[in-house]
Amino acid sequence: MFAKILIANRGEIACRVIRSARRMGVRSIAVYSDADAHALHVEMADEAVHIGASPANESYLRGDKIIAAALATGAEAIHPGYGFLSENPDFVDQVVAAGLIFIGPSAASIRAMGLKDAAKRLMEKAGVPVVPGYHGEAQEIVLLASKAREIGYPVLIKARAGGGGKGMRRVEHPDDFSEALSGARREAKAAFGDDRVLVEKYVDKPRHIEVQVFGDNFGNAVHLHERDCSAQRRHQKVIEEAPAPGMTPALRKAMTEAAVKAAKAIHYSGAGTIEFIVDASQGLKADRFWFMEMNTRLQVEHPVTEMVTGIDLVEWQLRVAAGEKLPKTQSEIALSGHAFEARIYAEDAARGFLPATGTLHHLKFPQPAPEGATMRVETGVRAGDAISPFYDPMIAKLVIHGKDRRAALTALGAALSQTEIAGSTVNTAFLAALAADADFAAGDVDTGLIARHQQALTAVPPPSGETIAAAALAASGARDLPSSDDPWSSLAGYAHFHAVARSTLLKFGEQEIGARVSVRPDGRFEVALDAPYDSVNSRDLRAAPRLARWPGHVTVFDGAIGYGFAVPDPLARADEAAAASVSLRAPMPGLVKLVRAGKGESVIKGQPLLILEAMKMEHTIAAPHDGVIAEIAAEGAQVTDGTVLVRFVEEPQLTAVSLSTK
């Protein structure tokens, strides 16, 4: 076994690899960018090496710097994690040429599966079923459009390199093909450096079911059963589970055999995932699944497989890379219970899952696990850490295991309702709503479920009077909150107020709410709220409110929802009003990818003005009202959150940015 390995990654997956390495007695070396100088993975590792500036292409994508760090620290092998260089065959070649071991498959295996079109041709030869479509080399728009007509609409345009939903467009009608192709190519080029695409038939009720495979360097290959990753938004996974709901013995046998056949066809070594698209329109049938792609690395969702098999996949990766045979045979790998993984992201589900940034002023996960369940939290952040605009905004993965699907799902909902995150917009309420969705709970899930139910899943009720009252009490001089069942009991007789009410102003979104807090004769507080809210006596609060406070802000948690209130500084309000302007501002840091309007041009409400690329996704910024453009950002401009993108000549009818995500 290795004495020391370097982890060429960051965040959650780096922390995950470090834990297994430490348990095995293997020392770990972290690498970090400027933005990650104080990150959790750096703190956890035995050693850490700075490799460059914050942008990934200046640090985590610099294979030369990573290899140099490994050689300088005496590492014997490099673990790539997922993303970044994990599926880059040129990097694997460089690692091997430097005399190091790559903890993963060979460069040849990665190349065989790295391009979707070539991989599908290879799978066809190996006898693995593939989705009907065009997987050829020619990329002329006339040919691609012709192939789309032959396949039959709707079709799916997909980047032939990479994954994660980037460079992917569903096209319903021939008239929309050209624009969709252009968008897919731009996004693919930005994400993978390759704008070539393939065109496939869009399956009406698709299930995304994948099989975890593992091979060694002695010709052995096994599967560790399947995972269902059908719960997706914008082609990105949200909640994954194992085993797949409704799975039949016949389909499992056919699918796992095909997956092992695919792995053996490329002499695969290490952890890999064979992804299949399954037509669930008539139930799960053994002849209605097709190969989609292979991920030649560890998957984000690998913990659900670990939970139902009891196998540490990272340990297996290290053992196989060190020259050992697979630790178990196929007959020794059994399923036990059911597991879910919910990806907690810094994102605004109500605004089309727009990525968010911010500082995690409060971060608390449930302890212990919900009754009857086993839980693990995979994270790479701590309270006080910032969500960087440079990398994926995932905060944590909440992983739950129960005796069966119902028990595990109940525990997942309970765990999400007890999770507290403040300082950034997060998707916990959306995840809890999805876990409680009737179709999802019944296992009737496909990749379109979230889109169909999106309005209901992302709707958040306004805060109740009790919630607002709790925020007002916390904002009005309550000092440190005690931990007793009644957090306001210690404030009885608090002399600061006496009989005079203290006024407090709260801001919830754009809504300002006035509150006056006074002490009642019984020592409790009364909170008089502006209409339409009723006054609330602290005795009337149903339970001790869960709160987080930091300067200028209060968050009150109600189940999985965190209601964030700003507490405006009255002296600063006049300055804020004076700074208001007739403009559209960037909702997040990003790159102005494409400008569709010019200075002096008249535009109408809803007209696309420019495309902002943020966190590797494209977002269309549209006009919120009719008007004339006075100024507009230049193509290629790097902007920060709040930067003016468009300034209008005429007075606006609305002030909000209209966003639609491609």
Side-chain angles (χ1 to χ4, degrees), residues 360-448:
L360 300 175
H361 292 284
H362 180 82
L363 182 64
K364 182 180 178 182
F365 297 103
Q367 291 293 338
E371 185 177 356
T374 304
M375 181 182 70
R376 63 193 249 197
V377 178
E378 301 284 354
T379 186
V381 296
R382 302 148 297 189
D385 286 350
I387 302 299
S388 169
F390 295 103
Y391 315 116
D392 185 88
M394 187 168 68
I395 296 172
K397 302 184 308 195
L398 194 60
V399 189
I400 295 287
H401 179 268
K403 64 179 181 179
D404 54 32
R405 190 174 190 271
R406 175 179 289 184
L409 189 56
T410 299
L412 176 64
L416 287 166
S417 70
Q418 297 167 35
T419 297
E420 300 175 6
I421 304 174
S424 176
T425 303
V426 295
N427 67 341
T428 49
F430 161 71
L431 292 172
L434 177 59
D437 179 83
D439 287 345
F440 186 83
D444 184 15
V445 59
D446 61 80
T447 59

Side-chain angles (χ1 to χ4, degrees), residues 181-344:
L181 177 63
S182 297
R185 281 176 165 167
R186 280 196 310 272
E187 203 166 87
K189 184 69 174 179
F192 317 119
D194 185 345
D195 66 356
R196 288 171 292 181
V197 301
L198 50 84
V199 183
E200 293 181 344
K201 176 65 179 175
Y202 186 85
V203 179
D204 288 331
K205 190 176 182 182
R207 288 270 296 272
H208 179 135
I209 302 177
E210 60 190 32
V211 176
Q212 177 72 59
V213 294
F214 224 106
D216 62 21
N217 295 309
F218 300 89
N220 302 307
V222 297
H223 69 81
L224 287 84
H225 301 283
E226 82 282 353
R227 297 184 289 257
D228 194 301
C229 306
S230 301
Q232 302 179 6
R233 88 293 188 267
R234 298 191 318 200
H235 304 292
Q236 293 183 312
K237 301 165 187 175
V238 175
I239 295 180
E240 301 99 339
E241 60 182 301
M247 176 59 72
T248 65
L251 179 56
R252 176 174 289 141
K253 182 175 185 296
M255 189 175 287
T256 54
E257 286 179 354
V260 172
K261 186 184 297 183
K264 287 185 174 181
I266 57 171
H267 310 290
Y268 195 79
S269 175
T273 298
I274 310 296
E275 298 191 346
F276 294 103
I277 193 80
V278 182
D279 183 354
S281 60
Q282 298 178 2
L284 299 183
K285 298 181 181 298
D287 61 348
R288 302 295 290 170
F289 75 95
W290 302 280
F291 172 85
M292 191 162 50
E293 63 183 337
M294 182 178 189
N295 292 129
T296 52
R297 54 170 168 79
L298 198 65
Q299 291 281 86
V300 177
E301 60 273 18
H302 77 273
V304 295
T305 293
E306 294 183 323
M307 294 291 246
V308 296
T309 62
I311 293 171
D312 183 333
L313 295 182
V314 174
E315 177 183 339
W316 275 36
Q317 284 187 300
L318 268 61
R319 293 194 180 281
V320 167
E324 299 181 20
K325 290 185 177 181
L326 290 177
K328 290 187 177 184
T329 63
Q330 189 66 70
S331 62
E332 295 174 306
I333 303 171
L335 283 171
S336 176
H338 202 98
F340 286 95
E341 175 184 287
R343 301 189 188 188
I344 299 176

Side-chain angles (χ1 to χ4, degrees), residues 32-54:
Y32 64 93
S33 67
D34 289 348
D36 284 339
H38 304 289
L40 181 59
H41 75 282
V42 174
E43 178 184 292
M44 288 178 61
D46 297 297
E47 301 174 53
V49 180
H50 177 252
I51 56 170
S54 300

